[in-house]
Each structure stands twice: as structure tokens, then as C-alpha cells.
Amino acid sequence: MDKSKKLKVLVVGDEWVHTKDLIHIAQDVLQGYDYELDSFDVIMDKPMSRDRSDDIGDDTVTEYCGHPQQLIDRIAGVQVLIVHTAPVTKQVIAAGKDLLAIGCCRSDAVNINIEAASARGIYFFNAPGRSVEPVSDLTIAFALLLGRNILKADQYVKAGRWAADINRDVPVWDEFVTFRGITFKNKKFGLVGLGKIGKRVAEKAKGIGLQVLVYDPFAKEEAFAGYTRITSLEELFTVCDFISIHVPPLPSNKGLINKKLFSLMKPTAYFINIARGEIIDENALIEALQQKKIAGAALDVYYTEPLPQESPLTSLDNVILTPHLAGQRKDLSEGSADILREMMQPFFQSNCPDTCFNKDKIK
């Protein structure tokens, strides 16, 4: 980048990654440059669901907040755009005739049309790994909660049933014994996907004594060191005591986990999904849980978000439900900004494109 040329910068934050933290990125990354900076917030007034009813003219852009017209109205003359959830559609990129670089504080930047940016020769930077620790933590927490029946036992104590059962003339242990959980040592923990998050989940699962089995046809052989590579989903679902999903929300992965796979699971097995709701056949999972074909499940993501109150999932006692919070962390805003800063600085300060996500697609 030529530091002698004045740059115009547009920063768009939201309630999760604050505009002030994104502005700090711009200030650090553009040290030594002459630039002017414009900024605004998008309002996170709707869930970032794949089933949004509004048409923004670009089906490749999903899980966003705000509207592309907000960016189009301010993009004229902008060379550097930094966002979190704002939708950078092909129309935004077309309107940004002077765009040189786009930064997005997300790992899976599904709110950016990266292909359109690459075709224009615009460098794109993301924040890889920002959710690795919180997502992998929750995955293992789900396994522990499920395997040890912790939530059911918690409700038992809070409802006073423990005291009532023990204080009878003849103590009643019938419900109490249902809380007896499994031991985790040598249980088979099946992973679908061995990306950054999958690898960290595998490390943590192995650390508590689980045997880790992995299905990922795209991972390199060396990534499986210390784990058992499984070559088919059918085998993974048949032999494992836990199944956990960690694949990206690509169109090819929609409905990947289907009714047949659920039917192969052991009746003592547990299913965990912290990836995306559309990756699984939710109705097939509901049926498996209702009919006790599997022991239980823990879900952080759903086909429709927020999860409708009338969903059968909300009335089941063998499923744990959380509101798409796996990637959330107390330092989400600052932490995400720090990662994006690290990715953008080499390009702007040393003319090094190595940390650019789409460097191989720019001619």
C-alpha cells in the first residue's frame, strides 16, 4: 500500500463488536497513512437467521444485520471498509468503486460476498479463530452435562424432590438413581469436521480421557495424529457415544446429518450441534429424541432462530437448548478486533499479503 495516498475509511460496528473497537483497528493498522474516517452502527434488531424474509439482492450473503443500502449510501470514495455483521453484498462492492480492502471481525464471514470482492481485486481480511476457545469449551461442557445428567439433577434439588424423597419413612431412590451418569474414560467421541474448532474440541476431549474419532474427508492426514480417522459418516454415527458437529455453513453441508444417520446411533449415545442448524435434519433429530432412539442432545443452533416456542424441542426432557451463544465471550468486541488487527497490519504496514484471506484469488 502506498502511504503517500490519502485514504477514506468506513467503519461499521454493532452491539456485539463495537464501532469504537473497529475504529481502534483502523487507527493502528493505518499508522503512517493520511486518512479520513467515517463510521456508523447497524442495529441488531433481527436474528441473523438463514430464513430472513427480506430480499437484499444477494443470496450469497447470510447471517447479517442492517441493510446494504446503509453501506451503499456511504461507500463512495471509500478505500478501506471494516465491518462485523453489516452485509457487504455484490451491490455494495459494485458501488464501492475505490475499494482496496475489506476487513470483517468474523471467522466465517458469511455476510461478505468474498467472490465479488476477489473478482474486483479487493483484498479481504477476516478474524480466524476468534470463537475457537468459547465454542470448544461449550462443546465439552455439553458432553459433561449430558453424560452426567447435571441439569436434571439440578432441577431435582431445586424442586425439593431430593429432600422429600429422603425424608420419607422409607427413603425413595427411584428418581435419584436416574441421575447416575457415564464415566468418560475411553468413551468414543465422534467429531464431524477437523477445522480450527474441531481440532481444539479434539484436544479437550482427549484431555478428559475420551477416544476421539474424526470424520473429515478434506483434512490432511497429519491432522489426525493421535485420533482415529473414520472414512464414513455411517461408521462414525454407528460406533460413537457422542457425536459433535463442527463443519462450516456451506450449501453442500445443508442437511448433511440426516434421518438415516440418527437411526444408526446407539440408544445410549448423545448428539451435539454447535455449528449451524441447517446442517442437520431437525425433524429427524426431534423424532429420535421423542422416541428415545438416542439418549439425548445438546443444541446451540437451530434451523429457525430464535427457536420458536412451539418447537417440539422446547418440551423434551432429554435435550439441552442454548440461544446460539457458543461463540460469545465477555471480551468478544475487543478480542475480535485484536485478531482482525493482526490480520490487516502486515498488509498495510509491510505490503505483505500473506494474512489476506483471498490472496490466491487476486491477480
Side-chain angles (χ1 to χ4, degrees):
M1 293 290 293
D2 186 354
K3 290 187 177 182
S4 66
K5 293 183 178 179
K6 185 172 183 178
L7 298 176
K8 185 175 180 181
V9 183
L10 177 60
V11 171
V12 188
D14 52 45
E15 287 94 332
W16 286 2
V17 176
H18 306 145
T19 299
K20 65 178 180 61
D21 291 321
L22 297 183
I23 289 174
H24 290 157
I25 289 178
Q27 292 170 338
D28 290 345
V29 165
L30 297 176
Q31 286 187 32
Y33 287 86
D34 182 15
Y35 63 90
E36 62 176 290
L37 191 148
D38 183 20
S39 67
F40 71 95
D41 297 333
V42 294
I43 304 302
M44 302 182 78
D45 59 343
K46 298 179 182 179
M48 290 186 292
S49 170
R50 65 209 57 81
D51 286 331
R52 296 178 67 118
S53 59
D54 48 329
D55 180 8
I56 59 171
D58 190 338
D59 292 338
T60 69
V61 171
T62 61
E63 295 188 10
Y64 58 89
C65 288
H67 194 278
Q69 192 61 47
Q70 295 174 283
L71 280 76
I72 292 171
D73 290 343
R74 298 183 185 228
I75 202 73
V78 169
Q79 285 88 24
V80 181
L81 174 63
I82 299 176
V83 303
H84 179 225
T85 57
V88 184
T89 63
K90 59 186 178 184
Q91 293 87 351
V92 172
I93 291 168
K97 299 184 185 302
D98 297 311
L99 275 174
L100 300 174
I102 299 171
C104 177
C105 268
R106 301 178 74 177
S107 179
D108 293 322
V110 291
N111 56 309
I112 314 290
N113 190 324
I114 301 172
E115 184 176 342
S118 301
R120 279 272 313 280
I122 299 168
Y123 290 91
F124 173 71
F125 303 86
N126 67 333
R130 76 162 190 176
S131 299
V132 168
E133 290 303 323
V135 172
S136 58
D137 284 346
L138 186 60
T139 302
I140 299 302
F142 272 167
L144 294 169
L145 288 168
L146 289 167
R148 291 305 308 268
N149 292 309
I150 292 172
L151 295 187
K152 291 181 182 178
D154 170 76
Q155 294 164 4
Y156 176 69
V157 174
K158 289 178 178 176
R161 296 197 299 275
W162 184 29
D165 285 348
I166 298 303
N167 290 327
R168 299 173 193 268
D169 291 338
V170 178
V172 175
W173 296 93
D174 293 0
E175 186 174 6
F176 183 90
V177 299
T178 67
F179 306 138
R180 291 175 178 170
I182 65 170
T183 54
F184 288 81
K185 186 177 181 180
N186 293 327
K187 289 293 188 296
K188 293 181 172 64
F189 192 91
L191 282 172
V192 181
L194 198 59
K196 288 184 174 65
I197 292 174
K199 288 177 183 175
R200 193 70 179 113
V201 172
E203 292 170 359
K204 294 178 180 181
K206 188 176 181 180
I208 61 172
L210 291 159
Q211 294 182 35
V212 179
L213 291 72
V214 184
Y215 171 80
D216 190 331
F218 305 104
K220 295 180 179 179
E221 190 61 39
E222 55 265 28
F224 294 88
Y227 313 123
T228 301
R229 183 170 196 171
I230 302 297
T231 57
S232 74
L233 283 170
E234 288 77 10
E235 181 183 358
L236 191 78
F237 274 69
T238 299
V239 303
C240 286
D241 301 293
F242 292 89
I243 295 290
S244 188
I245 310 303
H246 301 282
V247 296
L250 301 174
S252 57
N253 286 333
K254 185 174 182 178
L256 177 69
I257 311 303
N258 54 33
K259 184 173 183 177
K260 177 184 177 182
L261 293 174
F262 286 124
S263 72
L264 295 174
M265 292 179 68
K266 301 176 184 179
T268 55
Y270 298 96
F271 179 80
I272 298 169
N273 186 20
I274 299 185
R276 288 295 189 277
E278 69 267 30
I279 292 169
I280 75 169
D281 181 337
E282 196 169 277
N283 290 328
L285 174 61
I286 290 170
E287 180 182 321
L289 291 166
Q290 288 174 330
Q291 299 180 11
K292 310 295 184 183
K293 292 179 179 178
I294 63 175
L299 307 173
D300 185 55
V301 290
Y302 313 91
Y303 194 85
T304 299
E305 295 182 2
L307 181 68
Q309 190 57 42
E310 62 271 17
S311 168
L313 289 168
T314 63
S315 61
L316 294 173
D317 65 358
N318 56 349
V319 61
I320 298 170
L321 309 175
T322 54
H324 202 149
L325 56 73
Q328 297 295 313
R329 41 191 268 197
K330 288 189 175 181
D331 66 340
L332 176 68
S333 185
E334 302 94 329
S336 300
D338 286 343
I339 296 172
L340 184 58
R341 178 188 292 107
E342 291 175 8
M343 302 304 290
M344 296 184 73
Q345 272 185 330
F347 179 75
F348 283 92
Q349 294 298 322
S350 305
N351 287 315
C352 176
D354 290 351
T355 54
C356 173
F357 182 88
N358 61 342
K359 61 181 183 297
D360 296 332
K361 296 183 178 180
I362 294 180
K363 299 176 182 178

Short mmCIF file of all heavy atoms in Angstrom, two decimals, residues 227-267:
data_model
loop_
_atom_site.label_atom_id
_atom_site.label_comp_id
_atom_site.label_asym_id
_atom_site.label_seq_id
_atom_site.Cartn_x
_atom_site.Cartn_y
_atom_site.Cartn_z
N TYR A 227 -5.57 -39.33 16.85
CA TYR A 227 -7.00 -39.60 16.77
C TYR A 227 -7.25 -40.74 15.78
O TYR A 227 -6.35 -41.12 15.01
CB TYR A 227 -7.78 -38.35 16.34
CG TYR A 227 -7.37 -37.10 17.09
CD1 TYR A 227 -6.92 -35.97 16.42
CD2 TYR A 227 -7.41 -37.08 18.48
CE1 TYR A 227 -6.54 -34.84 17.11
CE2 TYR A 227 -7.02 -35.94 19.19
CZ TYR A 227 -6.58 -34.83 18.50
OH TYR A 227 -6.19 -33.71 19.18
N THR A 228 -8.46 -41.24 15.76
CA THR A 228 -8.82 -42.30 14.81
C THR A 228 -9.59 -41.69 13.65
O THR A 228 -10.63 -41.06 13.85
CB THR A 228 -9.69 -43.37 15.50
OG1 THR A 228 -8.96 -43.94 16.59
CG2 THR A 228 -10.06 -44.47 14.51
N ARG A 229 -9.06 -41.88 12.45
CA ARG A 229 -9.75 -41.34 11.28
C ARG A 229 -10.83 -42.31 10.83
O ARG A 229 -10.58 -43.49 10.64
CB ARG A 229 -8.75 -41.10 10.14
CG ARG A 229 -9.41 -40.46 8.92
CD ARG A 229 -8.41 -40.00 7.89
NE ARG A 229 -9.02 -39.09 6.94
CZ ARG A 229 -8.36 -38.38 6.03
NH1 ARG A 229 -7.04 -38.49 5.95
NH2 ARG A 229 -9.00 -37.57 5.20
N ILE A 230 -12.03 -41.79 10.64
CA ILE A 230 -13.16 -42.57 10.17
C ILE A 230 -13.51 -42.08 8.76
O ILE A 230 -13.57 -40.87 8.52
CB ILE A 230 -14.37 -42.41 11.10
CG1 ILE A 230 -14.01 -42.84 12.53
CG2 ILE A 230 -15.56 -43.23 10.59
CD1 ILE A 230 -13.64 -44.29 12.68
N THR A 231 -13.72 -42.99 7.86
CA THR A 231 -13.89 -42.61 6.45
C THR A 231 -15.34 -42.47 6.00
O THR A 231 -15.60 -42.13 4.85
CB THR A 231 -13.18 -43.62 5.54
OG1 THR A 231 -13.70 -44.93 5.80
CG2 THR A 231 -11.68 -43.62 5.80
N SER A 232 -16.29 -42.74 6.90
CA SER A 232 -17.70 -42.55 6.52
C SER A 232 -18.50 -42.06 7.72
O SER A 232 -18.23 -42.41 8.87
CB SER A 232 -18.31 -43.85 6.00
OG SER A 232 -18.57 -44.76 7.05
N LEU A 233 -19.48 -41.21 7.44
CA LEU A 233 -20.37 -40.74 8.50
C LEU A 233 -21.14 -41.89 9.11
O LEU A 233 -21.40 -41.91 10.32
CB LEU A 233 -21.34 -39.69 7.94
CG LEU A 233 -20.77 -38.29 7.71
CD1 LEU A 233 -21.77 -37.43 6.94
CD2 LEU A 233 -20.41 -37.63 9.03
N GLU A 234 -21.50 -42.87 8.28
CA GLU A 234 -22.27 -44.01 8.77
C GLU A 234 -21.52 -44.76 9.87
O GLU A 234 -22.08 -45.09 10.92
CB GLU A 234 -22.61 -44.96 7.62
CG GLU A 234 -23.65 -44.43 6.64
CD GLU A 234 -23.10 -43.40 5.66
OE1 GLU A 234 -21.86 -43.23 5.61
OE2 GLU A 234 -23.90 -42.76 4.96
N GLU A 235 -20.23 -44.98 9.67
CA GLU A 235 -19.44 -45.68 10.67
C GLU A 235 -19.31 -44.84 11.93
O GLU A 235 -19.43 -45.35 13.06
CB GLU A 235 -18.05 -46.02 10.14
CG GLU A 235 -17.19 -46.79 11.14
CD GLU A 235 -15.79 -47.07 10.65
OE1 GLU A 235 -15.47 -46.72 9.49
OE2 GLU A 235 -15.00 -47.64 11.43
N LEU A 236 -19.07 -43.53 11.77
CA LEU A 236 -18.90 -42.65 12.92
C LEU A 236 -20.15 -42.67 13.80
O LEU A 236 -20.07 -42.81 15.03
CB LEU A 236 -18.61 -41.22 12.45
CG LEU A 236 -18.16 -40.24 13.54
CD1 LEU A 236 -16.70 -40.48 13.89
CD2 LEU A 236 -18.37 -38.80 13.10
N PHE A 237 -21.33 -42.53 13.18
CA PHE A 237 -22.57 -42.49 13.93
C PHE A 237 -22.91 -43.84 14.56
O PHE A 237 -23.56 -43.89 15.60
CB PHE A 237 -23.72 -42.02 13.03
CG PHE A 237 -23.85 -40.52 12.96
CD1 PHE A 237 -22.88 -39.75 12.32
CD2 PHE A 237 -24.93 -39.87 13.52
CE1 PHE A 237 -22.98 -38.38 12.25
CE2 PHE A 237 -25.04 -38.49 13.47
CZ PHE A 237 -24.06 -37.73 12.83
N THR A 238 -22.43 -44.89 13.98
CA THR A 238 -22.73 -46.23 14.50
C THR A 238 -21.93 -46.56 15.75
O THR A 238 -22.46 -47.15 16.70
CB THR A 238 -22.44 -47.30 13.43
OG1 THR A 238 -23.28 -47.06 12.29
CG2 THR A 238 -22.71 -48.70 13.96
N VAL A 239 -20.66 -46.15 15.80
CA VAL A 239 -19.78 -46.63 16.87
C VAL A 239 -19.59 -45.65 18.03
O VAL A 239 -19.13 -46.05 19.10
CB VAL A 239 -18.39 -47.00 16.31
CG1 VAL A 239 -18.51 -48.05 15.21
CG2 VAL A 239 -17.64 -45.77 15.78
N CYS A 240 -19.96 -44.37 17.84
CA CYS A 240 -19.60 -43.37 18.85
C CYS A 240 -20.65 -43.20 19.94
O CYS A 240 -21.85 -43.38 19.73
CB CYS A 240 -19.34 -42.02 18.18
SG CYS A 240 -17.76 -41.99 17.28
N ASP A 241 -20.15 -42.78 21.12
CA ASP A 241 -21.02 -42.48 22.26
C ASP A 241 -21.45 -41.02 22.27
O ASP A 241 -22.46 -40.67 22.88
CB ASP A 241 -20.28 -42.81 23.56
CG ASP A 241 -19.85 -44.26 23.63
OD1 ASP A 241 -20.73 -45.13 23.70
OD2 ASP A 241 -18.62 -44.52 23.57
N PHE A 242 -20.67 -40.18 21.63
CA PHE A 242 -21.01 -38.77 21.42
C PHE A 242 -20.73 -38.43 19.96
O PHE A 242 -19.75 -38.90 19.39
CB PHE A 242 -20.15 -37.84 22.29
CG PHE A 242 -20.42 -37.93 23.76
CD1 PHE A 242 -19.74 -38.85 24.55
CD2 PHE A 242 -21.35 -37.09 24.36
CE1 PHE A 242 -19.99 -38.93 25.91
CE2 PHE A 242 -21.60 -37.16 25.72
CZ PHE A 242 -20.92 -38.09 26.50
N ILE A 243 -21.59 -37.61 19.38
CA ILE A 243 -21.35 -37.06 18.04
C ILE A 243 -21.43 -35.54 18.15
O ILE A 243 -22.40 -35.00 18.69
CB ILE A 243 -22.40 -37.54 17.03
CG1 ILE A 243 -22.32 -39.05 16.82
CG2 ILE A 243 -22.24 -36.80 15.70
CD1 ILE A 243 -21.09 -39.52 16.07
N SER A 244 -20.41 -34.84 17.66
CA SER A 244 -20.38 -33.38 17.72
C SER A 244 -20.07 -32.81 16.34
O SER A 244 -19.15 -33.28 15.67
CB SER A 244 -19.33 -32.93 18.74
OG SER A 244 -19.40 -31.55 18.95
N ILE A 245 -20.85 -31.82 15.93
CA ILE A 245 -20.76 -31.28 14.56
C ILE A 245 -19.95 -29.99 14.54
O ILE A 245 -20.24 -29.04 15.28
CB ILE A 245 -22.18 -31.01 14.00
CG1 ILE A 245 -23.07 -32.24 14.19
CG2 ILE A 245 -22.10 -30.62 12.53
CD1 ILE A 245 -22.54 -33.51 13.56
N HIS A 246 -18.95 -29.94 13.64
CA HIS A 246 -18.08 -28.75 13.52
C HIS A 246 -17.68 -28.53 12.07
O HIS A 246 -16.50 -28.53 11.73
CB HIS A 246 -16.86 -28.91 14.42
CG HIS A 246 -17.21 -29.08 15.86
ND1 HIS A 246 -17.58 -28.03 16.66
CD2 HIS A 246 -17.28 -30.19 16.62
CE1 HIS A 246 -17.86 -28.48 17.87
NE2 HIS A 246 -17.69 -29.79 17.87
N VAL A 247 -18.68 -28.35 11.21
CA VAL A 247 -18.43 -28.06 9.80
C VAL A 247 -19.02 -26.70 9.45
O VAL A 247 -19.95 -26.23 10.12
CB VAL A 247 -19.01 -29.15 8.88
CG1 VAL A 247 -18.32 -30.49 9.13
CG2 VAL A 247 -20.52 -29.30 9.06
N PRO A 248 -18.50 -26.02 8.43
CA PRO A 248 -18.97 -24.68 8.09
C PRO A 248 -20.34 -24.69 7.41
O PRO A 248 -20.77 -25.72 6.87
CB PRO A 248 -17.88 -24.17 7.13
CG PRO A 248 -17.32 -25.41 6.52
CD PRO A 248 -17.36 -26.46 7.59
N PRO A 249 -21.03 -23.54 7.43
CA PRO A 249 -22.37 -23.45 6.85
C PRO A 249 -22.36 -23.29 5.33
O PRO A 249 -22.87 -22.31 4.78
CB PRO A 249 -22.95 -22.22 7.53
CG PRO A 249 -21.77 -21.34 7.78
CD PRO A 249 -20.62 -22.27 8.09
N LEU A 250 -21.76 -24.26 4.64
CA LEU A 250 -21.72 -24.23 3.18
C LEU A 250 -23.00 -24.86 2.61
O LEU A 250 -23.59 -25.74 3.24
CB LEU A 250 -20.50 -25.01 2.67
CG LEU A 250 -19.13 -24.52 3.15
CD1 LEU A 250 -18.04 -25.47 2.68
CD2 LEU A 250 -18.87 -23.11 2.66
N PRO A 251 -23.42 -24.45 1.42
CA PRO A 251 -24.61 -25.06 0.82
C PRO A 251 -24.49 -26.59 0.71
O PRO A 251 -25.48 -27.31 0.89
CB PRO A 251 -24.67 -24.42 -0.57
CG PRO A 251 -24.01 -23.09 -0.39
CD PRO A 251 -22.91 -23.33 0.59
N SER A 252 -23.29 -27.08 0.48
CA SER A 252 -23.08 -28.53 0.35
C SER A 252 -23.30 -29.28 1.67
O SER A 252 -23.47 -30.50 1.67
CB SER A 252 -21.68 -28.82 -0.19
OG SER A 252 -20.69 -28.25 0.67
N ASN A 253 -23.26 -28.55 2.78
CA ASN A 253 -23.44 -29.19 4.09
C ASN A 253 -24.88 -29.13 4.59
O ASN A 253 -25.18 -29.67 5.66
CB ASN A 253 -22.53 -28.54 5.13
CG ASN A 253 -21.08 -28.95 4.96
OD1 ASN A 253 -20.79 -30.02 4.45
ND2 ASN A 253 -20.16 -28.08 5.37
N LYS A 254 -25.76 -28.49 3.87
CA LYS A 254 -27.15 -28.40 4.30
C LYS A 254 -27.77 -29.80 4.33
O LYS A 254 -27.71 -30.55 3.35
CB LYS A 254 -27.95 -27.49 3.37
CG LYS A 254 -29.39 -27.26 3.85
CD LYS A 254 -30.11 -26.25 2.97
CE LYS A 254 -31.52 -25.99 3.50
NZ LYS A 254 -32.25 -24.98 2.70
N GLY A 255 -28.34 -30.17 5.46
CA GLY A 255 -28.97 -31.48 5.59
C GLY A 255 -27.98 -32.63 5.63
O GLY A 255 -28.36 -33.79 5.43
N LEU A 256 -26.72 -32.32 5.91
CA LEU A 256 -25.68 -33.36 5.92
C LEU A 256 -26.00 -34.47 6.93
O LEU A 256 -25.80 -35.65 6.66
CB LEU A 256 -24.33 -32.72 6.26
CG LEU A 256 -23.12 -33.65 6.38
CD1 LEU A 256 -22.76 -34.23 5.00
CD2 LEU A 256 -21.93 -32.91 6.98
N ILE A 257 -26.50 -34.08 8.09
CA ILE A 257 -26.82 -35.05 9.14
C ILE A 257 -28.31 -35.36 9.04
O ILE A 257 -29.16 -34.55 9.42
CB ILE A 257 -26.46 -34.50 10.54
CG1 ILE A 257 -25.03 -33.93 10.53
CG2 ILE A 257 -26.63 -35.57 11.58
CD1 ILE A 257 -23.97 -34.93 10.09
N ASN A 258 -28.62 -36.53 8.53
CA ASN A 258 -29.99 -36.85 8.16
C ASN A 258 -30.60 -37.96 9.02
O ASN A 258 -29.99 -38.48 9.95
CB ASN A 258 -30.05 -37.23 6.68
CG ASN A 258 -29.08 -38.36 6.34
OD1 ASN A 258 -28.82 -39.25 7.17
ND2 ASN A 258 -28.52 -38.32 5.14
N LYS A 259 -31.82 -38.33 8.68
CA LYS A 259 -32.57 -39.32 9.46
C LYS A 259 -31.85 -40.66 9.50
O LYS A 259 -31.83 -41.33 10.55
CB LYS A 259 -33.97 -39.49 8.85
CG LYS A 259 -34.88 -40.43 9.62
CD LYS A 259 -36.29 -40.41 9.05
CE LYS A 259 -37.22 -41.30 9.88
NZ LYS A 259 -38.61 -41.25 9.37
N LYS A 260 -31.24 -41.06 8.41
CA LYS A 260 -30.53 -42.34 8.38
C LYS A 260 -29.41 -42.37 9.41
O LYS A 260 -29.23 -43.36 10.13
CB LYS A 260 -29.97 -42.60 6.98
CG LYS A 260 -29.16 -43.89 6.89
CD LYS A 260 -28.53 -44.05 5.52
CE LYS A 260 -27.66 -45.31 5.48
NZ LYS A 260 -26.99 -45.48 4.16
N LEU A 261 -28.65 -41.26 9.48
CA LEU A 261 -27.54 -41.21 10.42
C LEU A 261 -28.03 -41.27 11.87
O LEU A 261 -27.46 -41.97 12.71
CB LEU A 261 -26.70 -39.96 10.19
CG LEU A 261 -25.93 -39.92 8.86
CD1 LEU A 261 -25.25 -38.57 8.68
CD2 LEU A 261 -24.90 -41.04 8.79
N PHE A 262 -29.11 -40.54 12.16
CA PHE A 262 -29.65 -40.59 13.52
C PHE A 262 -30.11 -42.02 13.87
O PHE A 262 -29.98 -42.45 15.01
CB PHE A 262 -30.81 -39.61 13.69
CG PHE A 262 -30.36 -38.16 13.76
CD1 PHE A 262 -30.87 -37.22 12.89
CD2 PHE A 262 -29.45 -37.76 14.72
CE1 PHE A 262 -30.47 -35.89 12.96
CE2 PHE A 262 -29.03 -36.42 14.80
CZ PHE A 262 -29.55 -35.49 13.91
N SER A 263 -30.63 -42.71 12.88
CA SER A 263 -31.11 -44.07 13.13
C SER A 263 -29.98 -45.05 13.44
O SER A 263 -30.22 -46.12 14.01
CB SER A 263 -31.91 -44.59 11.92
OG SER A 263 -31.05 -44.88 10.83
N LEU A 264 -28.76 -44.69 13.05
CA LEU A 264 -27.60 -45.56 13.29
C LEU A 264 -27.01 -45.38 14.69
O LEU A 264 -26.23 -46.21 15.15
CB LEU A 264 -26.52 -45.28 12.25
CG LEU A 264 -26.87 -45.61 10.80
CD1 LEU A 264 -25.75 -45.15 9.87
CD2 LEU A 264 -27.13 -47.09 10.62
N MET A 265 -27.37 -44.31 15.38
CA MET A 265 -26.76 -44.02 16.67
C MET A 265 -27.20 -45.03 17.74
O MET A 265 -28.32 -45.57 17.69
CB MET A 265 -27.12 -42.61 17.13
CG MET A 265 -26.49 -41.51 16.29
SD MET A 265 -26.96 -39.83 16.83
CE MET A 265 -26.13 -39.74 18.42
N LYS A 266 -26.32 -45.26 18.69
CA LYS A 266 -26.66 -46.12 19.82
C LYS A 266 -27.78 -45.48 20.65
O LYS A 266 -27.86 -44.25 20.74
CB LYS A 266 -25.44 -46.29 20.74
CG LYS A 266 -24.21 -46.90 20.12
CD LYS A 266 -23.08 -46.88 21.16
CE LYS A 266 -21.77 -47.39 20.61
NZ LYS A 266 -20.69 -47.34 21.63
N PRO A 267 -28.62 -46.27 21.28
CA PRO A 267 -29.66 -45.68 22.15
C PRO A 267 -29.07 -44.99 23.37
O PRO A 267 -29.75 -44.21 24.04
CB PRO A 267 -30.51 -46.89 22.55
CG PRO A 267 -29.63 -48.07 22.33
CD PRO A 267 -28.74 -47.73 21.19
#
